[in-house]
Amino acid sequence: MTFEEKTIYQTSLASIPNYTLLECVLGLCFKVITILLQLPYEYIDNNPIPTIVFKGRPRTFHAFITCIIFAFSGATNALVAFNKSRFSRLCGYYAMASMASALAILLWAVCCTGIN
């Protein structure tokens, strides 16, 4: 491989986006909220609850939204703090734990909806 070919190969590899886990959490939070805004919903105690997965389960939906908000705030704080400080790592762990909790709540709601 010549020097020019090697330079072209390295340049093409550098142009591939390299996403971190926290960027994926942040993007997933945006996508979940966008999807939730498009779903049909019903009002329970003056609160809109999506009827597809969380029908009749307003507390489960509120727990899900709370976990999504915590994951978003943790990922944002960790990505804004560019240095690898203790605070940045703590926010990253916080975001990943919150996203895992949100996914567990969503899976639980889907299973309960499927059983009924």
Side-chain angles (χ1 to χ4, degrees):
M1 185 179 280
T2 65
F3 179 73
E4 291 175 7
E5 291 174 348
K6 195 174 193 181
T7 305
I8 291 171
Y9 179 73
Q10 289 174 350
T11 307
S12 64
L13 282 180
S15 65
I16 297 173
N18 188 8
Y19 297 113
T20 64
L21 186 60
L22 292 175
E23 290 170 341
C24 292
V25 167
L26 195 64
L28 190 60
C29 288
F30 278 120
K31 288 177 181 147
V32 165
I33 296 301
T34 304
I35 289 170
L36 284 176
L37 290 173
Q38 302 301 319
L39 293 177
Y41 58 89
E42 64 183 354
Y43 280 96
I44 299 176
D45 296 331
N46 293 328
N47 294 318
I49 308 296
T51 57
I52 294 178
V53 177
F54 298 102
K55 184 172 180 70
R57 293 184 172 81
R59 291 183 182 174
T60 307
F61 177 66
H62 291 179
F64 176 72
I65 290 297
T66 303
C67 288
I68 292 293
I69 290 170
F70 286 161
F72 176 79
S73 64
T76 303
N77 286 334
L79 289 171
V80 168
F82 289 113
N83 57 357
K84 299 296 180 189
S85 64
R86 189 177 294 168
F87 174 75
S88 177
R89 283 191 306 253
L90 180 67
C91 287
Y93 296 146
Y94 179 71
M96 289 185 277
S98 296
M99 184 54 74
S101 299
L103 291 176
I105 290 170
L106 182 64
L107 288 175
W108 183 77
V110 167
C111 289
C112 288
T113 304
I115 291 172
N116 294 335

